[in-house]
Amino acid sequence: MALRVEQVLSAGAGLLLALLLLLVLVTVGLRYGARTGFAGTEEAALWLFLALICLGLPLSLQGPFSLRLDILTRLLPHEGRRIAGLCADGTSAAAGCLLLTGGAEAAAALRSVSPALGLPEHVRFWFLAAGGALLLAMLLLVRIGEGRGFLGLLSVAAGATLALLLPQADLGSSMLPSAVAALAAGAALLLGAPLAHCLLAGVMFAIPSGSGLSEPAIVSTAASGMSRFLLLAIPFFLLCGGMLTLSGAGERLVRLAQTLVGHRRAGLAQTALLTSVFFSGASGSSVANAAFGASTFHPHLVSHGYPPERSAAIIAATSVLDNVIPPSIAFLLLAAATDISAGRLLIGGAYAGLLMAACLAVAIRLANGDSNRSARATGAERSRALLAALPALGLVVVVLGGIRFGIVTPTEAAAVAAGYALLLALATRPTCGGLASIFRQAGVEAAAIGLLIGAAAPFAFLLAVDGVAGTVLDLAGSLAEAPWQVLLLCNLVLLAAGLVLDTGAAILLLGPILLPVAVGAGIDPVLFGVIAVVNLMLGGLTPPVGMLVFVVSGTTGVPVGALFRVVIPYLVALLCALLVLCLLALFF
């Protein structure tokens, strides 16, 4: 039953994503083709995106995008894991009850009408209330399907009790509300609850400490965090990667890379690296790049004599580039969290990504000896490969060219790129099922990221009200006087955060805090933003979270522990690239 509900919800998310893409593409087409447009299209797109997030909200309960941290729970005995699982479910139930009751109260209190659409504003909050109800229903269905229905009911009851009692309590704690929220969210995360649910429940625990955020205010703040037009670029870039793979353009990029570098030392590994650079300009998601590389290159590397661990490490390390070379979802999140220009961040990411690729190329050359070369391609072969790959490479021109010359906004550039990739896929005459699957997958992933952004918004509000950014700025001033000391301190904080936090969550939580510290030390905000994203992307290769390592391990079957060890030389190369970027920020 739970699986059937998941299929229906994912299909609905895919349909909403298709409508969202159509709306933005029509808007761009009317503006440039007919010099006209519809009033309220941006607001309509935001409402559709909010509905997409709420429809996909129950799917955040399990799967890779639930972002659970299971380091501690794996070490517990069987009974301890059962208790931790019950607490994790209670956290998810508390988050669902918060959205249900807070969304309903916020909707009941609103009487305003959307100025552009003429629709009552309370509809948006009913979306969130419905999402909370769906999350509770999904939790019960999943546990009933596992034969643990009683525990599911117990966790929902516990979550409902917390949602009912916490707003009425007065703990009179001397701790800052943001500190209470952080401790509660951290404890729930260690017990294995999904990250977004931990953030929502943590803020709810801060209510008795005088946070000033009631349940309706928490839901309202989360809705505001999700309702930014820039964030619509995320599902479109995710859609690009899927369509590129479906169209077969990915294989043509592989062939082009092979003709360019296949004859060099460790030629097949260098081909994997260059393909990752090409593919980075299309998908915007390191996870998508890791999955593509693991399924495409790992068998070839192993068949040509590379040990399975080493080939998997190459794929994981090169996948880091995808969230640095534009289009980059990480830079879009940072732009939304800090108001830095998204266009300038994307262009800075292009230079940083090429630097990282050069460092990885050196590491691959040194670590893999003088084997695995292919015959040098002729000029004619390279020309044919380039012509075949030009349609896929055109995505980079669409995104960077459109943004750089001010033709379209980053969101519109992402929509145009997704439409372009869709045309490439349609040219191969795919099945309807294949297209629908791409839309469903991108819709579910976008909903998970959107939920994380919304869940982080109330927490960021508490940090701002408690003056945490100012406190950190004062602390940094007392610990570090010179710009290089401030930059070193920020990098250490980011590296530590990358060990335990997902990149998106770390950007949303730490970006608004660390950016003023760096700017106060005279560091360019765009350069610092690039450094922050590159730094946090290294967390994809480090334990205990290491998302990229886990994705590659799951696809290739290479043990996670062995993969973490073998990836060290490539991690060192990426740290060298980070050092160069820091030097540039200090001296230019």
Short mmCIF file of all heavy atoms in Angstrom, two decimals, residues 144-171:
data_model
loop_
_atom_site.label_atom_id
_atom_site.label_comp_id
_atom_site.label_asym_id
_atom_site.label_seq_id
_atom_site.Cartn_x
_atom_site.Cartn_y
_atom_site.Cartn_z
N ILE A 144 3.17 -0.05 9.08
CA ILE A 144 2.23 -1.18 8.98
C ILE A 144 2.72 -2.20 7.98
O ILE A 144 2.66 -3.42 8.20
CB ILE A 144 0.83 -0.66 8.60
CG1 ILE A 144 0.21 0.13 9.76
CG2 ILE A 144 -0.09 -1.81 8.21
CD1 ILE A 144 -1.07 0.85 9.40
N GLY A 145 3.26 -1.72 6.85
CA GLY A 145 3.80 -2.63 5.85
C GLY A 145 4.99 -3.43 6.35
O GLY A 145 5.25 -4.54 5.88
N GLU A 146 5.73 -2.86 7.32
CA GLU A 146 6.88 -3.56 7.91
C GLU A 146 6.48 -4.45 9.09
O GLU A 146 7.33 -5.08 9.70
CB GLU A 146 7.92 -2.55 8.39
CG GLU A 146 8.55 -1.74 7.27
CD GLU A 146 9.42 -0.60 7.80
OE1 GLU A 146 9.34 -0.30 9.02
OE2 GLU A 146 10.17 -0.02 7.01
N GLY A 147 5.16 -4.47 9.39
CA GLY A 147 4.70 -5.25 10.53
C GLY A 147 4.94 -4.57 11.87
O GLY A 147 4.95 -5.23 12.92
N ARG A 148 5.13 -3.25 11.85
CA ARG A 148 5.37 -2.49 13.09
C ARG A 148 4.34 -1.39 13.24
O ARG A 148 4.66 -0.25 13.57
CB ARG A 148 6.79 -1.89 13.07
CG ARG A 148 7.91 -2.93 13.04
CD ARG A 148 9.25 -2.29 13.25
NE ARG A 148 9.61 -1.39 12.16
CZ ARG A 148 10.52 -0.43 12.27
NH1 ARG A 148 11.12 -0.21 13.43
NH2 ARG A 148 10.81 0.32 11.22
N GLY A 149 3.11 -1.74 12.97
CA GLY A 149 2.04 -0.75 13.00
C GLY A 149 1.85 -0.12 14.37
O GLY A 149 1.58 1.08 14.49
N PHE A 150 2.00 -0.94 15.45
CA PHE A 150 1.83 -0.39 16.79
C PHE A 150 2.86 0.68 17.09
O PHE A 150 2.55 1.73 17.66
CB PHE A 150 1.91 -1.51 17.83
CG PHE A 150 1.85 -1.01 19.25
CD1 PHE A 150 0.65 -0.58 19.80
CD2 PHE A 150 3.00 -0.96 20.03
CE1 PHE A 150 0.59 -0.10 21.11
CE2 PHE A 150 2.95 -0.49 21.33
CZ PHE A 150 1.75 -0.06 21.87
N LEU A 151 4.12 0.42 16.71
CA LEU A 151 5.17 1.41 16.93
C LEU A 151 4.91 2.67 16.12
O LEU A 151 5.21 3.79 16.56
CB LEU A 151 6.54 0.82 16.57
CG LEU A 151 7.06 -0.29 17.49
CD1 LEU A 151 8.40 -0.79 16.99
CD2 LEU A 151 7.19 0.23 18.92
N GLY A 152 4.35 2.50 14.92
CA GLY A 152 4.00 3.65 14.11
C GLY A 152 2.95 4.51 14.79
O GLY A 152 3.06 5.74 14.84
N LEU A 153 1.91 3.85 15.32
CA LEU A 153 0.87 4.58 16.04
C LEU A 153 1.43 5.28 17.29
O LEU A 153 1.06 6.42 17.60
CB LEU A 153 -0.25 3.62 16.47
CG LEU A 153 -1.22 3.19 15.36
CD1 LEU A 153 -2.12 2.07 15.87
CD2 LEU A 153 -2.06 4.37 14.89
N LEU A 154 2.36 4.60 17.96
CA LEU A 154 2.96 5.17 19.15
C LEU A 154 3.77 6.42 18.82
O LEU A 154 3.71 7.43 19.53
CB LEU A 154 3.85 4.13 19.83
CG LEU A 154 4.43 4.48 21.20
CD1 LEU A 154 3.31 4.71 22.20
CD2 LEU A 154 5.35 3.35 21.68
N SER A 155 4.52 6.37 17.71
CA SER A 155 5.33 7.53 17.32
C SER A 155 4.44 8.70 16.91
O SER A 155 4.74 9.86 17.23
CB SER A 155 6.28 7.15 16.19
OG SER A 155 5.57 6.74 15.04
N VAL A 156 3.36 8.43 16.18
CA VAL A 156 2.44 9.50 15.79
C VAL A 156 1.80 10.13 17.03
O VAL A 156 1.65 11.35 17.13
CB VAL A 156 1.36 8.97 14.83
CG1 VAL A 156 0.26 10.01 14.61
CG2 VAL A 156 1.99 8.60 13.49
N ALA A 157 1.43 9.29 18.00
CA ALA A 157 0.84 9.80 19.23
C ALA A 157 1.84 10.67 19.98
O ALA A 157 1.48 11.74 20.53
CB ALA A 157 0.39 8.64 20.12
N ALA A 158 3.11 10.24 20.01
CA ALA A 158 4.14 11.03 20.69
C ALA A 158 4.34 12.37 19.98
O ALA A 158 4.47 13.42 20.63
CB ALA A 158 5.45 10.25 20.73
N GLY A 159 4.38 12.35 18.65
CA GLY A 159 4.55 13.58 17.89
C GLY A 159 3.39 14.53 18.10
O GLY A 159 3.58 15.75 18.25
N ALA A 160 2.17 14.00 18.11
CA ALA A 160 0.99 14.83 18.33
C ALA A 160 0.99 15.44 19.73
O ALA A 160 0.61 16.60 19.93
CB ALA A 160 -0.28 14.01 18.11
N THR A 161 1.45 14.65 20.71
CA THR A 161 1.52 15.16 22.09
C THR A 161 2.52 16.31 22.19
O THR A 161 2.24 17.33 22.84
CB THR A 161 1.93 14.03 23.05
OG1 THR A 161 0.99 12.96 22.94
CG2 THR A 161 1.98 14.53 24.48
N LEU A 162 3.67 16.15 21.55
CA LEU A 162 4.66 17.23 21.56
C LEU A 162 4.11 18.49 20.90
O LEU A 162 4.28 19.60 21.42
CB LEU A 162 5.93 16.78 20.84
CG LEU A 162 6.83 15.79 21.59
CD1 LEU A 162 7.96 15.33 20.68
CD2 LEU A 162 7.40 16.44 22.84
N ALA A 163 3.46 18.32 19.74
CA ALA A 163 2.91 19.47 19.03
C ALA A 163 1.83 20.17 19.85
O ALA A 163 1.63 21.38 19.72
CB ALA A 163 2.35 19.03 17.68
N LEU A 164 1.14 19.42 20.70
CA LEU A 164 0.07 20.00 21.52
C LEU A 164 0.62 20.67 22.77
O LEU A 164 0.17 21.77 23.16
CB LEU A 164 -0.92 18.90 21.91
CG LEU A 164 -2.09 19.32 22.81
CD1 LEU A 164 -3.01 20.31 22.08
CD2 LEU A 164 -2.87 18.10 23.27
N LEU A 165 1.61 20.04 23.43
CA LEU A 165 2.07 20.52 24.74
C LEU A 165 3.17 21.58 24.66
O LEU A 165 3.20 22.49 25.50
CB LEU A 165 2.56 19.33 25.58
CG LEU A 165 1.52 18.28 25.95
CD1 LEU A 165 2.14 17.19 26.80
CD2 LEU A 165 0.35 18.92 26.69
N LEU A 166 4.09 21.46 23.69
CA LEU A 166 5.23 22.38 23.67
C LEU A 166 4.82 23.85 23.56
O LEU A 166 5.38 24.70 24.25
CB LEU A 166 6.19 22.00 22.53
CG LEU A 166 7.09 20.80 22.80
CD1 LEU A 166 7.91 20.46 21.57
CD2 LEU A 166 8.01 21.08 23.98
N PRO A 167 3.85 24.20 22.70
CA PRO A 167 3.47 25.63 22.63
C PRO A 167 2.88 26.17 23.92
O PRO A 167 2.86 27.39 24.15
CB PRO A 167 2.43 25.66 21.50
CG PRO A 167 2.72 24.46 20.67
CD PRO A 167 3.16 23.42 21.65
N GLN A 168 2.37 25.27 24.79
CA GLN A 168 1.76 25.71 26.04
C GLN A 168 2.76 25.74 27.20
O GLN A 168 2.45 26.30 28.26
CB GLN A 168 0.61 24.74 26.43
CG GLN A 168 -0.35 24.40 25.31
CD GLN A 168 -1.02 25.61 24.71
OE1 GLN A 168 -1.33 26.57 25.43
NE2 GLN A 168 -1.25 25.60 23.40
N ALA A 169 3.94 25.16 26.99
CA ALA A 169 4.91 25.04 28.08
C ALA A 169 5.75 26.31 28.18
O ALA A 169 5.86 27.10 27.25
CB ALA A 169 5.82 23.83 27.84
N ASP A 170 6.34 26.50 29.37
CA ASP A 170 7.25 27.62 29.60
C ASP A 170 8.42 27.08 30.43
O ASP A 170 8.33 26.97 31.65
CB ASP A 170 6.53 28.75 30.32
CG ASP A 170 7.44 29.98 30.49
OD1 ASP A 170 8.55 29.96 29.95
OD2 ASP A 170 7.01 30.93 31.18
N LEU A 171 9.50 26.74 29.74
CA LEU A 171 10.64 26.13 30.43
C LEU A 171 11.51 27.14 31.16
O LEU A 171 12.26 26.79 32.07
CB LEU A 171 11.49 25.35 29.42
CG LEU A 171 10.77 24.21 28.68
CD1 LEU A 171 11.73 23.50 27.74
CD2 LEU A 171 10.17 23.22 29.67
#
